[in-house]
Amino acid sequence: MNNAKIIIIGAGLSGLMIAYLLQKKGLEVIILEAHNRIGGRIETVTGTSGATMEMGATWFSKPHQNLIALLDELEISYFRQHTQGISFFETMSFVPPQKFEISDAEEPSYRIVGGTSTLIEKLVEKVGIQNIKTQTKITTIKEVDNHLEVSTSDGIVCKAETVITTLPPHLLVQTITFEPRLPDFIQQLARKTHTWMGESIKFAMEYASPFWRDNKYSGTLFSQASIIQEMYDHSTADNKGYALKGFLNGGTHMLSEEERKAKVILQLTKLFGPEAGNYVAYHEKVWREESLTFFPYEHLLMGHENNGHPDYKKPLLNDKLYISGSETASANPGYMEGAVVAAINIASQF
Ligand SMILES: Cc1cc2nc3c(=O)[nH]c(=O)nc-3n(C[C@H](O)[C@H](O)[C@H](O)COP(=O)(O)OP(=O)(O)OC[C@H]3O[C@@H](n4cnc5c(N)ncnc54)[C@H](O)[C@@H]3O)c2cc1C
C-alpha cells in the first residue's frame, strides 16, 4: 500500500467530500475504507422491479444549503417527497388509525433522483476510484517522530503526515487503538457522542404498482402501536419503480428477519387492505448489526447527544490527527448536511 501525505479513514459522504475538496486544492489524498462497499451510512438497493430503496440516508430540506450546493455543483437532481393523499396515524393498537392529509404548504423533504447513492457515485468519480482502498480496516494509529503510522487488520502499515478520520467518534475510540493514547477529554467525549441512526432498522416493501396511490393514500404512516413507526411512499422520481419505505421499531432487532417481515405485512394489510400482501420483495437493514457504524454504548445516549461538540475542532497528536465525520459538524450534525459541513471545515484548514 502507498504511503501518502494525507490519509482519510472512511469512504462515507464525509471522507469522499474531504478528498474532493482537498484534491481541488491540489493535495494528494488516499482514502482507506474497511467495507467492500463505498458509502457508509448511504446505501441504496435496487430491486428487481427497478425501485431504488434507501437503507440509509434519504431526505434533506431547504435549510441543508451546503448539501444542496454540492448536489447543484455535481449536477444531481432531486425531487419532492410524495405526501399527497390520506396519511395514517396509529395512536394505540385498540383504536382505528387516525386519517389526515399533509398540506402542500408544509416545508417539503427532498430525495435524490436515482437514489442517494448517486451522490456517492459522483464523488467517487471525482475523487478517482484508484485513490480509495476498500476492505482496508484500520486498527491502530501510532505517532512516530513527525508522522503517523496507520495499521490495518491485515498488518499493513501506511505512513502519513496527516490522518483525517471520519468514523463516528464513538466507533473511533472503541475500535481504533492510538499510540500514544488520545487525551482523556476527547476519549470521554467520543464515548458519549451518539451516532445518528446507529440503532435504527430500515425496511422497504417493493411493489409492482403503487396501489396505495390508486386508493387515494399517500403512503405516509406514523405509528406508536405497531412495528412500522414511520413510513413514506418511496417510488422513484420517474414513477417507474414502486415501494413503501420507513423505520421499524428499533427494539425488534431481537426478532428474526422473518418475524419482522410477518409483522410488517400484518400492519400494511390492516391499513391498506389485502393488496399490500402482494409485494415483489421485502428489504431491510438492521444498522446495529453493522459493526462499521454501530458499537454498543456504555450509557444511554440521547439522539444527537454531544453531536457537533466544539472540542472536535481541535487537531490531536501534535496537529497530525483530525477527527471529522457528520457527528462532529457545527451545523446539522448527524445528517448528510453535517457530513458536508464537517468536510468543508476540515478542508479549510489545509
Ligand atoms: C438508517 C439511516 C437513515 C438516515 N437517514 C438520513 C436522512 O434521511 N437524511 C440525512 O441527512 N441523513 C440521514 N442519515 C445520516 C447520514 O447517513 C449520515 O449523516 C452520513 O451518511 C454520515 O456520513 P459520514 O461519512 O460522516 O459517516 P459514515 O457514513 O458512517 O462513514 C464512515 C465510514 O467509515 C468506515 N469505517 C468504519 N470503521 C472503519 C475502520 N476501522 N477503518 C476504515 N474504515 C472504517 C465505514 O465503513 C464508513 O464507510 C441516516 C443514516 C442512517 C443509518
Side-chain angles (χ1 to χ4, degrees), residues 41 43 53-59 116 197 199-205 230 232 234 245-250 260 264 282-287:
R41 279 175 277 170
E43 184 176 1
M53 291 156 287
E54 306 302 343
M55 294 295 112
T58 310
W59 300 280
T116 317
M197 290 286 167
E199 306 98 321
S200 70
I201 307 177
K202 266 281 181 87
F203 87 100
M205 209 47 132
E230 193 179 337
Y232 302 90
H234 204 59
K245 190 215 66 170
F247 295 93
L248 301 184
N249 181 321
R260 279 188 295 270
V264 166
Y282 170 79
H283 307 264
E284 66 163 33
K285 175 134 182 161
V286 180
W287 280 90

PDB file of all heavy atoms in Angstrom, residues 41 43 53-59 116 197 199-205 230 232 234 245-250 260 264 282-287:
ATOM      1  N   ARG A  41     -23.031   5.191   5.671  1.00  0.00           N
ATOM      2  CA  ARG A  41     -24.465   5.210   6.021  1.00  0.00           C
ATOM      3  C   ARG A  41     -25.351   5.641   4.860  1.00  0.00           C
ATOM      4  O   ARG A  41     -26.546   5.907   5.048  1.00  0.00           O
ATOM      5  CB  ARG A  41     -24.676   6.104   7.249  1.00  0.00           C
ATOM      6  CG  ARG A  41     -24.363   5.389   8.547  1.00  0.00           C
ATOM      7  CD  ARG A  41     -24.447   6.317   9.728  1.00  0.00           C
ATOM      8  NE  ARG A  41     -23.235   7.084   9.912  1.00  0.00           N
ATOM      9  CZ  ARG A  41     -23.093   8.094  10.748  1.00  0.00           C
ATOM     10  NH1 ARG A  41     -24.131   8.466  11.474  1.00  0.00           N
ATOM     11  NH2 ARG A  41     -21.940   8.730  10.859  1.00  0.00           N
ATOM     12  N   GLU A  43     -26.700   3.957   1.524  1.00  0.00           N
ATOM     13  CA  GLU A  43     -26.748   2.648   0.845  1.00  0.00           C
ATOM     14  C   GLU A  43     -28.089   2.503   0.132  1.00  0.00           C
ATOM     15  O   GLU A  43     -29.132   2.367   0.769  1.00  0.00           O
ATOM     16  CB  GLU A  43     -26.569   1.521   1.875  1.00  0.00           C
ATOM     17  CG  GLU A  43     -26.509   0.158   1.228  1.00  0.00           C
ATOM     18  CD  GLU A  43     -26.244  -0.970   2.214  1.00  0.00           C
ATOM     19  OE1 GLU A  43     -26.124  -0.706   3.438  1.00  0.00           O
ATOM     20  OE2 GLU A  43     -26.180  -2.122   1.766  1.00  0.00           O
ATOM     21  N   MET A  53     -34.187   1.730  -3.322  1.00  0.00           N
ATOM     22  CA  MET A  53     -34.652   1.863  -1.942  1.00  0.00           C
ATOM     23  C   MET A  53     -33.502   2.199  -1.007  1.00  0.00           C
ATOM     24  O   MET A  53     -32.459   1.548  -1.046  1.00  0.00           O
ATOM     25  CB  MET A  53     -35.349   0.563  -1.524  1.00  0.00           C
ATOM     26  CG  MET A  53     -36.660   0.378  -2.274  1.00  0.00           C
ATOM     27  SD  MET A  53     -37.178  -1.346  -2.388  1.00  0.00           S
ATOM     28  CE  MET A  53     -36.027  -1.995  -3.563  1.00  0.00           C
ATOM     29  N   GLU A  54     -33.714   3.216  -0.183  1.00  0.00           N
ATOM     30  CA  GLU A  54     -32.655   3.701   0.712  1.00  0.00           C
ATOM     31  C   GLU A  54     -32.665   2.908   2.019  1.00  0.00           C
ATOM     32  O   GLU A  54     -33.620   2.993   2.779  1.00  0.00           O
ATOM     33  CB  GLU A  54     -32.858   5.189   1.041  1.00  0.00           C
ATOM     34  CG  GLU A  54     -32.998   6.109  -0.145  1.00  0.00           C
ATOM     35  CD  GLU A  54     -31.819   6.074  -1.100  1.00  0.00           C
ATOM     36  OE1 GLU A  54     -30.741   5.594  -0.710  1.00  0.00           O
ATOM     37  OE2 GLU A  54     -31.991   6.520  -2.250  1.00  0.00           O
ATOM     38  N   MET A  55     -31.567   2.216   2.276  1.00  0.00           N
ATOM     39  CA  MET A  55     -31.407   1.558   3.568  1.00  0.00           C
ATOM     40  C   MET A  55     -30.740   2.518   4.567  1.00  0.00           C
ATOM     41  O   MET A  55     -30.689   2.262   5.752  1.00  0.00           O
ATOM     42  CB  MET A  55     -30.582   0.276   3.413  1.00  0.00           C
ATOM     43  CG  MET A  55     -31.275  -0.790   2.594  1.00  0.00           C
ATOM     44  SD  MET A  55     -32.784  -1.420   3.402  1.00  0.00           S
ATOM     45  CE  MET A  55     -34.073  -0.807   2.319  1.00  0.00           C
ATOM     46  N   GLY A  56     -30.203   3.610   4.040  1.00  0.00           N
ATOM     47  CA  GLY A  56     -29.595   4.649   4.888  1.00  0.00           C
ATOM     48  C   GLY A  56     -30.211   5.996   4.574  1.00  0.00           C
ATOM     49  O   GLY A  56     -31.428   6.108   4.403  1.00  0.00           O
ATOM     50  N   ALA A  57     -29.353   7.027   4.444  1.00  0.00           N
ATOM     51  CA  ALA A  57     -29.837   8.406   4.311  1.00  0.00           C
ATOM     52  C   ALA A  57     -30.735   8.606   3.103  1.00  0.00           C
ATOM     53  O   ALA A  57     -30.467   8.078   2.022  1.00  0.00           O
ATOM     54  CB  ALA A  57     -28.651   9.355   4.238  1.00  0.00           C
ATOM     55  N   THR A  58     -31.784   9.392   3.282  1.00  0.00           N
ATOM     56  CA  THR A  58     -32.788   9.605   2.238  1.00  0.00           C
ATOM     57  C   THR A  58     -33.122  11.075   2.023  1.00  0.00           C
ATOM     58  O   THR A  58     -33.020  11.582   0.909  1.00  0.00           O
ATOM     59  CB  THR A  58     -34.099   8.881   2.630  1.00  0.00           C
ATOM     60  OG1 THR A  58     -33.782   7.536   2.993  1.00  0.00           O
ATOM     61  CG2 THR A  58     -35.105   8.892   1.485  1.00  0.00           C
ATOM     62  N   TRP A  59     -33.560  11.775   3.116  1.00  0.00           N
ATOM     63  CA  TRP A  59     -34.205  13.083   2.946  1.00  0.00           C
ATOM     64  C   TRP A  59     -33.303  14.243   3.354  1.00  0.00           C
ATOM     65  O   TRP A  59     -32.447  14.114   4.232  1.00  0.00           O
ATOM     66  CB  TRP A  59     -35.488  13.158   3.785  1.00  0.00           C
ATOM     67  CG  TRP A  59     -36.489  12.135   3.416  1.00  0.00           C
ATOM     68  CD1 TRP A  59     -37.361  12.175   2.357  1.00  0.00           C
ATOM     69  CD2 TRP A  59     -36.742  10.894   4.095  1.00  0.00           C
ATOM     70  NE1 TRP A  59     -38.134  11.039   2.351  1.00  0.00           N
ATOM     71  CE2 TRP A  59     -37.785  10.237   3.387  1.00  0.00           C
ATOM     72  CE3 TRP A  59     -36.204  10.280   5.214  1.00  0.00           C
ATOM     73  CZ2 TRP A  59     -38.286   8.991   3.783  1.00  0.00           C
ATOM     74  CZ3 TRP A  59     -36.689   9.049   5.599  1.00  0.00           C
ATOM     75  CH2 TRP A  59     -37.719   8.418   4.893  1.00  0.00           C
ATOM     76  N   THR A 116     -29.917   8.007  -3.196  1.00  0.00           N
ATOM     77  CA  THR A 116     -28.864   8.795  -2.535  1.00  0.00           C
ATOM     78  C   THR A 116     -27.467   8.342  -2.969  1.00  0.00           C
ATOM     79  O   THR A 116     -26.523   9.127  -2.983  1.00  0.00           O
ATOM     80  CB  THR A 116     -29.007   8.702  -1.000  1.00  0.00           C
ATOM     81  OG1 THR A 116     -30.393   8.821  -0.651  1.00  0.00           O
ATOM     82  CG2 THR A 116     -28.254   9.809  -0.305  1.00  0.00           C
ATOM     83  N   MET A 197     -28.703   7.400  13.950  1.00  0.00           N
ATOM     84  CA  MET A 197     -29.349   6.278  13.274  1.00  0.00           C
ATOM     85  C   MET A 197     -28.635   4.940  13.478  1.00  0.00           C
ATOM     86  O   MET A 197     -28.999   3.955  12.845  1.00  0.00           O
ATOM     87  CB  MET A 197     -29.503   6.536  11.768  1.00  0.00           C
ATOM     88  CG  MET A 197     -30.510   7.604  11.458  1.00  0.00           C
ATOM     89  SD  MET A 197     -32.164   6.949  11.733  1.00  0.00           S
ATOM     90  CE  MET A 197     -33.112   8.444  11.706  1.00  0.00           C
ATOM     91  N   GLU A 199     -28.870   2.862  15.774  1.00  0.00           N
ATOM     92  CA  GLU A 199     -29.735   1.807  16.333  1.00  0.00           C
ATOM     93  C   GLU A 199     -30.948   1.546  15.447  1.00  0.00           C
ATOM     94  O   GLU A 199     -31.831   0.780  15.819  1.00  0.00           O
ATOM     95  CB  GLU A 199     -30.260   2.220  17.718  1.00  0.00           C
ATOM     96  CG  GLU A 199     -29.224   2.613  18.739  1.00  0.00           C
ATOM     97  CD  GLU A 199     -29.045   4.119  18.844  1.00  0.00           C
ATOM     98  OE1 GLU A 199     -29.075   4.800  17.800  1.00  0.00           O
ATOM     99  OE2 GLU A 199     -28.873   4.607  19.969  1.00  0.00           O
ATOM    100  N   SER A 200     -30.992   2.173  14.278  1.00  0.00           N
ATOM    101  CA  SER A 200     -32.238   2.134  13.509  1.00  0.00           C
ATOM    102  C   SER A 200     -32.381   0.867  12.649  1.00  0.00           C
ATOM    103  O   SER A 200     -31.396   0.197  12.341  1.00  0.00           O
ATOM    104  CB  SER A 200     -32.352   3.366  12.621  1.00  0.00           C
ATOM    105  OG  SER A 200     -31.402   3.286  11.601  1.00  0.00           O
ATOM    106  N   ILE A 201     -33.605   0.578  12.287  1.00  0.00           N
ATOM    107  CA  ILE A 201     -33.888  -0.521  11.342  1.00  0.00           C
ATOM    108  C   ILE A 201     -34.699   0.086  10.201  1.00  0.00           C
ATOM    109  O   ILE A 201     -35.770   0.666  10.426  1.00  0.00           O
ATOM    110  CB  ILE A 201     -34.708  -1.658  11.982  1.00  0.00           C
ATOM    111  CG1 ILE A 201     -34.039  -2.159  13.270  1.00  0.00           C
ATOM    112  CG2 ILE A 201     -34.895  -2.807  10.977  1.00  0.00           C
ATOM    113  CD1 ILE A 201     -34.831  -3.234  14.011  1.00  0.00           C
ATOM    114  N   LYS A 202     -34.178  -0.039   9.010  1.00  0.00           N
ATOM    115  CA  LYS A 202     -34.883   0.451   7.823  1.00  0.00           C
ATOM    116  C   LYS A 202     -35.519  -0.744   7.123  1.00  0.00           C
ATOM    117  O   LYS A 202     -34.928  -1.833   7.067  1.00  0.00           O
ATOM    118  CB  LYS A 202     -33.883   1.087   6.858  1.00  0.00           C
ATOM    119  CG  LYS A 202     -33.706   2.596   6.991  1.00  0.00           C
ATOM    120  CD  LYS A 202     -34.826   3.335   6.327  1.00  0.00           C
ATOM    121  CE  LYS A 202     -34.709   4.832   6.396  1.00  0.00           C
ATOM    122  NZ  LYS A 202     -33.942   5.406   5.329  1.00  0.00           N
ATOM    123  N   PHE A 203     -36.693  -0.537   6.537  1.00  0.00           N
ATOM    124  CA  PHE A 203     -37.305  -1.597   5.727  1.00  0.00           C
ATOM    125  C   PHE A 203     -37.892  -0.959   4.475  1.00  0.00           C
ATOM    126  O   PHE A 203     -38.206   0.247   4.451  1.00  0.00           O
ATOM    127  CB  PHE A 203     -38.433  -2.329   6.498  1.00  0.00           C
ATOM    128  CG  PHE A 203     -39.753  -1.640   6.353  1.00  0.00           C
ATOM    129  CD1 PHE A 203     -40.715  -2.109   5.445  1.00  0.00           C
ATOM    130  CD2 PHE A 203     -40.033  -0.493   7.062  1.00  0.00           C
ATOM    131  CE1 PHE A 203     -41.915  -1.434   5.266  1.00  0.00           C
ATOM    132  CE2 PHE A 203     -41.234   0.171   6.890  1.00  0.00           C
ATOM    133  CZ  PHE A 203     -42.181  -0.294   5.998  1.00  0.00           C
ATOM    134  N   ALA A 204     -38.009  -1.747   3.425  1.00  0.00           N
ATOM    135  CA  ALA A 204     -38.716  -1.293   2.216  1.00  0.00           C
ATOM    136  C   ALA A 204     -39.518  -2.458   1.675  1.00  0.00           C
ATOM    137  O   ALA A 204     -39.065  -3.602   1.681  1.00  0.00           O
ATOM    138  CB  ALA A 204     -37.737  -0.801   1.161  1.00  0.00           C
ATOM    139  N   MET A 205     -40.731  -2.172   1.239  1.00  0.00           N
ATOM    140  CA  MET A 205     -41.588  -3.156   0.609  1.00  0.00           C
ATOM    141  C   MET A 205     -41.728  -2.732  -0.848  1.00  0.00           C
ATOM    142  O   MET A 205     -42.225  -1.638  -1.132  1.00  0.00           O
ATOM    143  CB  MET A 205     -42.931  -3.121   1.341  1.00  0.00           C
ATOM    144  CG  MET A 205     -43.707  -4.379   1.368  1.00  0.00           C
ATOM    145  SD  MET A 205     -42.771  -5.836   1.817  1.00  0.00           S
ATOM    146  CE  MET A 205     -43.831  -6.527   3.018  1.00  0.00           C
ATOM    147  N   GLU A 230     -42.652   4.695  11.160  1.00  0.00           N
ATOM    148  CA  GLU A 230     -42.700   5.848  10.246  1.00  0.00           C
ATOM    149  C   GLU A 230     -42.500   5.299   8.848  1.00  0.00           C
ATOM    150  O   GLU A 230     -41.612   4.466   8.638  1.00  0.00           O
ATOM    151  CB  GLU A 230     -41.556   6.799  10.624  1.00  0.00           C
ATOM    152  CG  GLU A 230     -41.639   8.149  10.004  1.00  0.00           C
ATOM    153  CD  GLU A 230     -40.472   9.044  10.446  1.00  0.00           C
ATOM    154  OE1 GLU A 230     -39.867   8.795  11.509  1.00  0.00           O
ATOM    155  OE2 GLU A 230     -40.169   9.982   9.695  1.00  0.00           O
ATOM    156  N   TYR A 232     -43.072   6.121   4.314  1.00  0.00           N
ATOM    157  CA  TYR A 232     -43.453   7.043   3.224  1.00  0.00           C
ATOM    158  C   TYR A 232     -43.480   6.288   1.900  1.00  0.00           C
ATOM    159  O   TYR A 232     -42.827   5.248   1.754  1.00  0.00           O
ATOM    160  CB  TYR A 232     -42.429   8.181   3.103  1.00  0.00           C
ATOM    161  CG  TYR A 232     -42.278   8.980   4.370  1.00  0.00           C
ATOM    162  CD1 TYR A 232     -41.334   8.602   5.335  1.00  0.00           C
ATOM    163  CD2 TYR A 232     -43.097  10.074   4.634  1.00  0.00           C
ATOM    164  CE1 TYR A 232     -41.206   9.316   6.520  1.00  0.00           C
ATOM    165  CE2 TYR A 232     -42.970  10.793   5.814  1.00  0.00           C
ATOM    166  CZ  TYR A 232     -42.020  10.404   6.755  1.00  0.00           C
ATOM    167  OH  TYR A 232     -41.900  11.105   7.923  1.00  0.00           O
ATOM    168  N   HIS A 234     -42.123   5.504  -1.491  1.00  0.00           N
ATOM    169  CA  HIS A 234     -40.703   5.535  -1.875  1.00  0.00           C
ATOM    170  C   HIS A 234     -40.545   5.222  -3.359  1.00  0.00           C
ATOM    171  O   HIS A 234     -39.545   4.624  -3.778  1.00  0.00           O
ATOM    172  CB  HIS A 234     -39.924   4.542  -1.007  1.00  0.00           C
ATOM    173  CG  HIS A 234     -38.479   4.880  -0.899  1.00  0.00           C
ATOM    174  ND1 HIS A 234     -38.032   6.068  -0.386  1.00  0.00           N
ATOM    175  CD2 HIS A 234     -37.364   4.203  -1.253  1.00  0.00           C
ATOM    176  CE1 HIS A 234     -36.720   6.108  -0.420  1.00  0.00           C
ATOM    177  NE2 HIS A 234     -36.283   4.985  -0.962  1.00  0.00           N
ATOM    178  N   LYS A 245     -41.449   2.714   2.205  1.00  0.00           N
ATOM    179  CA  LYS A 245     -40.197   2.553   2.955  1.00  0.00           C
ATOM    180  C   LYS A 245     -40.210   3.340   4.250  1.00  0.00           C
ATOM    181  O   LYS A 245     -40.800   4.425   4.319  1.00  0.00           O
ATOM    182  CB  LYS A 245     -39.027   3.006   2.112  1.00  0.00           C
ATOM    183  CG  LYS A 245     -37.707   2.640   2.740  1.00  0.00           C
ATOM    184  CD  LYS A 245     -36.642   3.669   2.496  1.00  0.00           C
ATOM    185  CE  LYS A 245     -36.960   4.970   3.192  1.00  0.00           C
ATOM    186  NZ  LYS A 245     -35.829   5.905   3.152  1.00  0.00           N
ATOM    187  N   GLY A 246     -39.585   2.801   5.276  1.00  0.00           N
ATOM    188  CA  GLY A 246     -39.548   3.537   6.534  1.00  0.00           C
ATOM    189  C   GLY A 246     -38.729   2.856   7.598  1.00  0.00           C
ATOM    190  O   GLY A 246     -37.837   2.045   7.307  1.00  0.00           O
ATOM    191  N   PHE A 247     -39.084   3.193   8.849  1.00  0.00           N
ATOM    192  CA  PHE A 247     -38.331   2.725  10.013  1.00  0.00           C
ATOM    193  C   PHE A 247     -39.179   1.745  10.820  1.00  0.00           C
ATOM    194  O   PHE A 247     -40.365   1.972  11.039  1.00  0.00           O
ATOM    195  CB  PHE A 247     -37.998   3.900  10.927  1.00  0.00           C
ATOM    196  CG  PHE A 247     -37.081   4.901  10.287  1.00  0.00           C
ATOM    197  CD1 PHE A 247     -37.590   6.002   9.606  1.00  0.00           C
ATOM    198  CD2 PHE A 247     -35.707   4.744  10.363  1.00  0.00           C
ATOM    199  CE1 PHE A 247     -36.744   6.934   9.011  1.00  0.00           C
ATOM    200  CE2 PHE A 247     -34.850   5.670   9.771  1.00  0.00           C
ATOM    201  CZ  PHE A 247     -35.365   6.753   9.100  1.00  0.00           C
ATOM    202  N   LEU A 248     -38.520   0.682  11.280  1.00  0.00           N
ATOM    203  CA  LEU A 248     -39.185  -0.249  12.188  1.00  0.00           C
ATOM    204  C   LEU A 248     -38.780   0.088  13.628  1.00  0.00           C
ATOM    205  O   LEU A 248     -37.725   0.693  13.861  1.00  0.00           O
ATOM    206  CB  LEU A 248     -38.777  -1.692  11.881  1.00  0.00           C
ATOM    207  CG  LEU A 248     -39.071  -2.196  10.460  1.00  0.00           C
ATOM    208  CD1 LEU A 248     -38.711  -3.676  10.346  1.00  0.00           C
ATOM    209  CD2 LEU A 248     -40.528  -1.968  10.086  1.00  0.00           C
ATOM    210  N   ASN A 249     -39.584  -0.337  14.570  1.00  0.00           N
ATOM    211  CA  ASN A 249     -39.263  -0.185  15.984  1.00  0.00           C
ATOM    212  C   ASN A 249     -37.887  -0.833  16.240  1.00  0.00           C
ATOM    213  O   ASN A 249     -37.683  -2.012  15.963  1.00  0.00           O
ATOM    214  CB  ASN A 249     -40.367  -0.897  16.788  1.00  0.00           C
ATOM    215  CG  ASN A 249     -40.153  -0.785  18.272  1.00  0.00           C
ATOM    216  OD1 ASN A 249     -39.028  -0.862  18.762  1.00  0.00           O
ATOM    217  ND2 ASN A 249     -41.241  -0.582  18.989  1.00  0.00           N
ATOM    218  N   GLY A 250     -36.958  -0.015  16.761  1.00  0.00           N
ATOM    219  CA  GLY A 250     -35.573  -0.475  16.946  1.00  0.00           C
ATOM    220  C   GLY A 250     -35.463  -1.691  17.863  1.00  0.00           C
ATOM    221  O   GLY A 250     -34.542  -2.502  17.724  1.00  0.00           O
ATOM    222  N   ARG A 260     -39.906 -10.099  11.736  1.00  0.00           N
ATOM    223  CA  ARG A 260     -40.169  -8.676  11.461  1.00  0.00           C
ATOM    224  C   ARG A 260     -41.028  -8.536  10.210  1.00  0.00           C
ATOM    225  O   ARG A 260     -42.004  -7.791  10.176  1.00  0.00           O
ATOM    226  CB  ARG A 260     -38.846  -7.908  11.283  1.00  0.00           C
ATOM    227  CG  ARG A 260     -38.164  -7.524  12.567  1.00  0.00           C
ATOM    228  CD  ARG A 260     -36.979  -6.604  12.326  1.00  0.00           C
ATOM    229  NE  ARG A 260     -35.915  -7.249  11.588  1.00  0.00           N
ATOM    230  CZ  ARG A 260     -34.913  -7.927  12.123  1.00  0.00           C
ATOM    231  NH1 ARG A 260     -34.819  -8.034  13.441  1.00  0.00           N
ATOM    232  NH2 ARG A 260     -33.990  -8.493  11.374  1.00  0.00           N
ATOM    233  N   VAL A 264     -44.624  -6.682   9.584  1.00  0.00           N
ATOM    234  CA  VAL A 264     -44.773  -5.578   8.621  1.00  0.00           C
ATOM    235  C   VAL A 264     -45.963  -5.860   7.704  1.00  0.00           C
ATOM    236  O   VAL A 264     -46.824  -4.992   7.484  1.00  0.00           O
ATOM    237  CB  VAL A 264     -43.465  -5.401   7.800  1.00  0.00           C
ATOM    238  CG1 VAL A 264     -43.701  -4.518   6.581  1.00  0.00           C
ATOM    239  CG2 VAL A 264     -42.377  -4.806   8.677  1.00  0.00           C
ATOM    240  N   TYR A 282     -39.323  -7.940   0.087  1.00  0.00           N
ATOM    241  CA  TYR A 282     -39.134  -7.223   1.357  1.00  0.00           C
ATOM    242  C   TYR A 282     -37.637  -7.006   1.534  1.00  0.00           C
ATOM    243  O   TYR A 282     -36.841  -7.924   1.336  1.00  0.00           O
ATOM    244  CB  TYR A 282     -39.688  -8.081   2.505  1.00  0.00           C
ATOM    245  CG  TYR A 282     -39.357  -7.574   3.885  1.00  0.00           C
ATOM    246  CD1 TYR A 282     -40.071  -6.517   4.455  1.00  0.00           C
ATOM    247  CD2 TYR A 282     -38.334  -8.164   4.645  1.00  0.00           C
ATOM    248  CE1 TYR A 282     -39.777  -6.059   5.734  1.00  0.00           C
ATOM    249  CE2 TYR A 282     -38.041  -7.708   5.931  1.00  0.00           C
ATOM    250  CZ  TYR A 282     -38.759  -6.659   6.466  1.00  0.00           C
ATOM    251  OH  TYR A 282     -38.462  -6.201   7.739  1.00  0.00           O
ATOM    252  N   HIS A 283     -37.251  -5.785   1.876  1.00  0.00           N
ATOM    253  CA  HIS A 283     -35.832  -5.464   2.113  1.00  0.00           C
ATOM    254  C   HIS A 283     -35.713  -4.852   3.503  1.00  0.00           C
ATOM    255  O   HIS A 283     -36.605  -4.124   3.933  1.00  0.00           O
ATOM    256  CB  HIS A 283     -35.327  -4.426   1.107  1.00  0.00           C
ATOM    257  CG  HIS A 283     -35.567  -4.797  -0.329  1.00  0.00           C
ATOM    258  ND1 HIS A 283     -34.619  -5.414  -1.111  1.00  0.00           N
ATOM    259  CD2 HIS A 283     -36.655  -4.643  -1.113  1.00  0.00           C
ATOM    260  CE1 HIS A 283     -35.113  -5.611  -2.322  1.00  0.00           C
ATOM    261  NE2 HIS A 283     -36.350  -5.160  -2.350  1.00  0.00           N
ATOM    262  N   GLU A 284     -34.599  -5.115   4.185  1.00  0.00           N
ATOM    263  CA  GLU A 284     -34.392  -4.450   5.478  1.00  0.00           C
ATOM    264  C   GLU A 284     -32.919  -4.341   5.801  1.00  0.00           C
ATOM    265  O   GLU A 284     -32.093  -5.050   5.215  1.00  0.00           O
ATOM    266  CB  GLU A 284     -35.116  -5.198   6.614  1.00  0.00           C
ATOM    267  CG  GLU A 284     -34.563  -6.584   6.882  1.00  0.00           C
ATOM    268  CD  GLU A 284     -34.998  -7.151   8.241  1.00  0.00           C
ATOM    269  OE1 GLU A 284     -36.109  -6.865   8.694  1.00  0.00           O
ATOM    270  OE2 GLU A 284     -34.172  -7.887   8.842  1.00  0.00           O
ATOM    271  N   LYS A 285     -32.596  -3.431   6.693  1.00  0.00           N
ATOM    272  CA  LYS A 285     -31.233  -3.323   7.211  1.00  0.00           C
ATOM    273  C   LYS A 285     -31.286  -2.940   8.681  1.00  0.00           C
ATOM    274  O   LYS A 285     -31.875  -1.923   9.055  1.00  0.00           O
ATOM    275  CB  LYS A 285     -30.441  -2.272   6.427  1.00  0.00           C
ATOM    276  CG  LYS A 285     -29.058  -2.047   7.001  1.00  0.00           C
ATOM    277  CD  LYS A 285     -27.977  -2.013   5.964  1.00  0.00           C
ATOM    278  CE  LYS A 285     -26.624  -1.840   6.628  1.00  0.00           C
ATOM    279  NZ  LYS A 285     -25.514  -2.236   5.753  1.00  0.00           N
ATOM    280  N   VAL A 286     -30.670  -3.803   9.498  1.00  0.00           N
ATOM    281  CA  VAL A 286     -30.591  -3.564  10.940  1.00  0.00           C
ATOM    282  C   VAL A 286     -29.232  -2.919  11.196  1.00  0.00           C
ATOM    283  O   VAL A 286     -28.200  -3.589  11.181  1.00  0.00           O
ATOM    284  CB  VAL A 286     -30.734  -4.894  11.716  1.00  0.00           C
ATOM    285  CG1 VAL A 286     -30.656  -4.658  13.221  1.00  0.00           C
ATOM    286  CG2 VAL A 286     -32.040  -5.605  11.342  1.00  0.00           C
ATOM    287  N   TRP A 287     -29.212  -1.616  11.400  1.00  0.00           N
ATOM    288  CA  TRP A 287     -27.933  -0.894  11.448  1.00  0.00           C
ATOM    289  C   TRP A 287     -27.100  -1.240  12.660  1.00  0.00           C
ATOM    290  O   TRP A 287     -25.879  -1.121  12.626  1.00  0.00           O
ATOM    291  CB  TRP A 287     -28.169   0.615  11.322  1.00  0.00           C
ATOM    292  CG  TRP A 287     -28.383   0.978   9.881  1.00  0.00           C
ATOM    293  CD1 TRP A 287     -29.579   1.014   9.219  1.00  0.00           C
ATOM    294  CD2 TRP A 287     -27.375   1.270   8.898  1.00  0.00           C
ATOM    295  NE1 TRP A 287     -29.372   1.318   7.891  1.00  0.00           N
ATOM    296  CE2 TRP A 287     -28.023   1.498   7.666  1.00  0.00           C
ATOM    297  CE3 TRP A 287     -25.986   1.375   8.942  1.00  0.00           C
ATOM    298  CZ2 TRP A 287     -27.331   1.808   6.496  1.00  0.00           C
ATOM    299  CZ3 TRP A 287     -25.291   1.698   7.777  1.00  0.00           C
ATOM    300  CH2 TRP A 287     -25.959   1.903   6.579  1.00  0.00           C
TER     301      TRP A 287
END
